[in-house]
Amino acid sequence: MSDYAPPLQDIKFVLDHLTPLDELAKLPVYEEIDADSVYGVIEEFGRLMSEVWAPTNAVGDHEGSKVEGDTVKTATGFKEAYQQYADAGWGAVPFAPEYGGGGFPWLVGIVQQELLNSANMALAMAPLLTQGAIDAILHHGSEEQKEKYLLKMVSAEWTGSMNLTEPDAGSDVGALRTKAVKQDDGTYRISGQKIFITFGEHDFTDNIVHLVLARTPDAPTGTKGISLFIVPKFLVNDDGSLGERNDVHIVSIEHKMGIKASPTCVLAYGDNSDGAVGYLVGEENAGMRYMFTMMNNARLGVGVEGLGLAERAYQHALTYAKERKQGYAPGAARGEKSSIIEHPDVFDPPGNGYRVSLLAPGDQAWVERPGYPDTAALLRASGALVAMARAVAASGPRNHCASGVTKPCLGRNRMSSGRRPRIVALSSHLPWVAVS
């Protein structure tokens, strides 16, 4: 059985011929970036994904994550794989240099997302949620908040999480009841429970920066009365060092059908005090608008998850189809049996078109140019990628025949992981990806 090999040739072809990479390099913000440096980054990053991250994928599916005391113990090798990613500065590549970033176009970050998801989607969700949290703070946080949190988040020393859903407030997020009470010092005390929080607790980093939706006592009803708060796991001192533990704690993790190694957490805020300490982002009652910055980042990321899963499933199915011999292909001489890839109903290679749909328009500087596709167009592309992932992942076990529905089949793992983009996409209001 083959392991994961980053599709560098395909990616280079798309970057060379179908994306505005050359045009991006002409913009002042990217004047020190050229095609060779981009390809060098992608190749080296791909090596980490294939050699370090990809081998942990099956382990994670087998072991899952477990609550141990007041933290979550992740699967064997996950913490070490994340540490190598953070130590090498890979999380910083597509962010601005003023916050410790590498200054590369976001297009390079999209390529990284594909490779992350192909290598180990469960593990990839930690840095991808962090990217969304960075985006929200970058666009809506105060200068003090940016200085306090972004350097450590961009470097991947700290992770971020998105806290919207509550037991009685899922799609109807306006029904949330988590409370935020303002204090004399300008902070807020946050109390309530959040569910389905991806990497809301883990053993990778010293701190987790939670972005939490909550309601002040005199707020209007519905989504117009929601505010956004930064609630760190550990409070951060003025010098950047970690202070006392905040009152946010793990209650449990969900037992899911797929991506079992990604801890989907139930978090309690303020159970042991008058509330966890939170810091208002922007203005009161504007939290839903601010959170949409992170949500849209995640929505497009779901599309890239689809691409990454489909690529990994395709690679496994292709290798198996070349190695497995059964029957005789049309026109084959009787004697040695044919590889199943020689049978017409098995040979059905996917194209590069889906990779183009998210790579081509993937950079903020390019977004600001006239004629850039609107958000709705990008979300449609994301939805198409999710649907494609489901179809390709489903074809992997089919090519493995009866063994494709057994646990050892890695194509089956892709298919169970593929449930996550489908569910997330549907909950993120992408009805066109309602595939079975």
Side-chain angles (χ1 to χ4, degrees):
M1 184 68 68
S2 70
D3 207 347
Y4 171 61
L8 299 178
Q9 250 187 322
D10 289 350
I11 292 170
K12 186 175 187 300
F13 178 86
V14 171
L15 294 178
D16 282 344
H17 301 288
L18 300 167
T19 69
L21 182 58
D22 290 340
E23 292 298 316
L24 283 172
K26 295 176 184 177
L27 298 176
V29 68
Y30 301 129
E31 59 187 3
E32 296 182 6
I33 306 295
D34 58 21
D36 287 341
S37 60
V38 168
Y39 299 143
V41 164
I42 293 171
E43 183 175 354
E44 193 60 34
F45 186 71
R47 184 174 294 111
L48 176 71
M49 293 299 101
S50 63
E51 295 179 1
V52 178
W53 276 48
T56 66
N57 189 55
V59 177
D61 190 55
H62 175 69
E63 294 184 6
S65 293
K66 301 175 180 66
V67 176
E68 291 192 356
D70 200 27
T71 189
V72 170
K73 180 175 176 57
T74 53
T76 303
F78 271 46
K79 182 177 181 179
E80 293 76 12
Y82 181 87
Q83 197 62 54
Q84 289 194 45
Y85 165 88
D87 289 347
W90 288 117
V93 168
F95 291 105
E98 52 262 41
Y99 296 107
F104 279 80
W106 190 248
L107 178 148
V108 179
I110 294 293
V111 174
Q112 287 185 289
Q113 285 188 22
E114 178 192 338
L115 303 184
L116 283 162
N117 283 300
S118 288
N120 187 334
M121 180 183 148
L123 179 52
M125 292 171 73
L128 297 184
L129 263 294
T130 303
Q131 288 180 359
I134 291 170
D135 208 17
I137 296 173
L138 190 61
H139 282 85
H140 308 295
S142 66
E143 288 305 315
E144 179 183 357
Q145 289 170 344
K146 293 175 187 177
E147 291 296 327
K148 180 170 283 190
Y149 298 104
L150 288 188
L151 284 171
K152 293 292 182 72
M153 295 175 74
V154 167
S155 69
E157 293 177 70
W158 297 347
T159 61
S161 79
M162 176 168 60
N163 292 239
L164 288 82
T165 308
E166 298 179 8
D168 295 316
S171 298
D172 183 16
V173 69
L176 68 81
R177 295 185 294 179
T178 296
K179 295 189 298 183
V181 179
K182 191 171 185 178
Q183 307 297 299
D184 292 340
D185 62 359
T187 64
Y188 290 73
R189 291 297 180 268
I190 312 297
S191 56
Q193 188 178 93
K194 295 291 184 178
I195 63 174
F196 301 142
I197 310 306
T198 301
F199 274 95
E201 180 58 52
H202 57 79
D203 54 1
F204 293 172
T205 60
D206 293 333
N207 208 7
I208 304 170
V209 181
H210 302 290
L211 292 190
V212 182
L213 292 183
R215 190 183 301 281
T216 55
D218 57 349
T221 59
T223 57
K224 293 182 179 179
I226 293 175
S227 301
L228 178 63
F229 300 89
I230 294 172
V231 186
K233 177 180 175 179
F234 284 90
L235 302 181
V236 181
N237 298 320
D238 291 339
D239 63 358
S241 62
L242 294 183
E244 65 183 74
R245 175 69 188 264
N246 209 352
D247 190 6
V248 50
H249 298 277
I250 180 75
V251 175
S252 62
I253 58 175
E254 304 295 343
H255 300 282
K256 307 187 296 293
M257 294 174 69
I259 53 169
K260 301 168 188 175
S262 169
T264 302
C265 302
V266 177
L267 296 180
Y269 290 84
D271 270 10
N272 305 306
S273 65
D274 59 350
V277 178
Y279 306 90
L280 179 68
V281 176
E283 302 175 352
E284 286 189 7
N285 304 325
M288 202 67 226
R289 176 164 57 88
Y290 301 152
M291 184 59 92
F292 262 101
T293 298
M294 184 173 186
M295 289 169 65
N296 283 337
N297 184 296
R299 285 171 166 179
L300 297 177
V302 167
V304 186
E305 286 177 353
L307 176 60
L309 285 173
E311 174 64 37
R312 186 82 181 264
Y314 171 65
Q315 288 189 21
H316 284 295
L318 178 62
T319 299
Y320 184 85
K322 289 179 177 178
E323 295 173 350
R324 169 69 166 159
K325 294 184 180 295
Q326 184 167 310
Y328 299 96
R334 293 301 184 263
E336 184 178 357
K337 292 185 176 181
S338 303
S339 299
I340 64 172
I341 196 171
E342 297 174 35
H343 294 272
D345 61 338
V346 173
F347 181 70
D348 183 20
N352 238 342
Y354 289 105
R355 184 171 280 112
V356 177
S357 63
L358 283 186
L359 281 185
D363 191 82
Q364 181 64 31
W366 194 256
V367 168
E368 295 167 357
R369 295 171 63 93
Y372 179 77
D374 60 18
T375 301
L378 290 181
L379 292 178
R380 283 193 294 273
S382 179
L385 280 166
V386 174
M388 179 271 294
R390 189 72 178 155
V392 175
S395 72
R398 181 195 70 192
N399 284 357
H400 287 73
C401 305
S403 63
V405 295
T406 62
K407 279 194 172 183
C409 174
L410 292 176
R412 174 189 172 278
N413 172 258
R414 301 290 88 65
M415 192 167 178
S416 63
S417 295
R419 296 182 185 277
R420 189 263 174 183
R422 175 175 183 261
I423 293 168
V424 171
L426 287 170
S427 66
S428 301
H429 312 291
L430 299 179
W432 50 86
V433 299
V435 290
S436 61

